Amino acid sequence: SENIAPATQSSRNCIYLFSGPDFLYADAMFADCSTFVLQGLEPVDPMPDLATLPQAALFGTLQNIEISLNTLLSFSFFKTKNMREDFQRAQLKGVLPVIFVFMARTGKGIESVEYISLDKEGKVLQGQQGSLRGAKISFIEPASRSKKVMYYFTSDLSDDALKGNPGLLRFCETLGPVNSLLKAASYLLHSGNFSIARNFLLQNSVAVLQDDSGIPVHYFT
């Protein structure tokens, strides 16, 4: 992240599409950013009060979270199919438990969690009445004691889906020029059915950090 630090000086916002709950890499690569937007097909489920869970159920739930982390910690990426199965297996469902683990293990202090959604114009709505559901996590960076925000939205980024509901991209557009991260994006941005998302990133990014599965090089000027 030291090599890309100058890129964040003109923008403190990081967009990480196709991320799933992978807050770990966004935080590592763009540590200077104060706002993060993550996206995936995996849902946001409200967190239950852990104190109310039976001990046996809690133990099984924590085991499932550990299992869901295996591919990321072993191979640096999540598998969508595996995540969908793991997240529905126990009391703690959806992406939030994994995101919380990453925040806790990197020393972040979670201040609040809000369940939100977006309308088709990209306006943030309280509660999950909008068409794109998500969560807003406010947290404290331990080293600097600075306040930061991470958004996660459940959204389909294919052209067909975005033509019907561009809410996520319109929300991201309000953040101005952003730093974009793409990792293990399944080469979707190489295909013709993800051209809207690809063009959006090219037009709205001050910097793009990616592996080969991101935007093909020939699209860059």
Side-chain angles (χ1 to χ4, degrees):
S1 61
E2 292 177 0
N3 294 329
I4 62 170
T8 66
Q9 312 238 334
S10 57
S11 174
R12 296 291 178 181
N13 302 323
C14 171
I15 290 179
Y16 184 8
L17 302 183
F18 308 100
S19 64
D22 181 20
F23 172 74
L24 188 64
Y25 275 81
D27 178 57
M29 295 300 176
F30 289 104
D32 289 340
C33 284
S34 57
T35 300
F36 299 87
V37 180
L38 277 62
Q39 168 275 336
L41 297 175
E42 300 75 33
V44 169
D45 285 74
M47 291 281 289
D49 182 355
L50 296 185
T52 66
L53 295 181
Q55 191 68 29
L58 182 59
F59 179 74
T61 286
L62 295 177
Q63 280 190 317
N64 281 331
I65 293 175
E66 184 178 1
I67 291 170
S68 70
L69 292 173
N70 281 343
T71 54
L72 179 86
L73 298 178
S74 299
F75 308 112
S76 85
F77 58 85
F78 284 109
K79 292 181 180 179
T80 300
K81 179 178 179 294
N82 290 3
M83 272 194 297
R84 189 174 293 123
E85 295 171 355
D86 294 338
F87 290 166
Q88 294 305 315
R89 195 177 293 138
Q91 299 279 354
L92 298 184
K93 303 180 187 301
V95 298
L96 290 184
V98 172
I99 292 172
F100 287 172
V101 168
F102 289 148
M103 287 191 167
R105 294 302 295 269
T106 53
K108 310 293 189 284
I110 298 176
E111 287 200 317
S112 65
V113 180
E114 301 173 51
Y115 300 103
I116 60 174
S117 53
L118 297 175
D119 64 16
K120 292 186 178 182
E121 302 305 315
K123 180 182 178 182
V124 176
L125 306 173
Q126 293 304 310
Q128 298 195 326
Q129 64 213 20
S131 52
L132 296 178
R133 297 181 175 183
K136 175 185 177 182
I137 303 174
S138 300
F139 64 96
I140 299 292
E141 181 66 46
S144 63
R145 302 303 301 166
S146 58
K147 294 189 175 184
K148 298 188 176 185
V149 174
M150 195 221 78
Y151 295 90
Y152 175 90
F153 292 105
T154 303
S155 175
D156 183 342
L157 293 180
S158 66
D159 286 354
D160 292 341
L162 288 175
K163 287 173 184 175
N165 190 345
L168 177 59
L169 297 189
R170 290 183 176 174
F171 171 77
C172 292
E173 202 169 16
T174 65
L175 301 177
V178 297
N179 300 286
S180 293
L181 175 61
L182 292 164
K183 184 178 69 64
S186 302
Y187 294 90
L188 295 175
L189 295 172
H190 288 237
S191 75
N193 196 35
F194 286 82
S195 60
I196 295 176
R198 181 177 64 233
N199 290 336
F200 174 85
L201 292 176
L202 289 169
Q203 293 165 9
N204 291 275
S205 301
V206 68
V208 178
L209 176 64
Q210 63 174 19
D211 61 16
D212 291 345
S213 73
I215 300 171
V217 174
H218 67 80
Y219 283 106
F220 290 90
T221 57

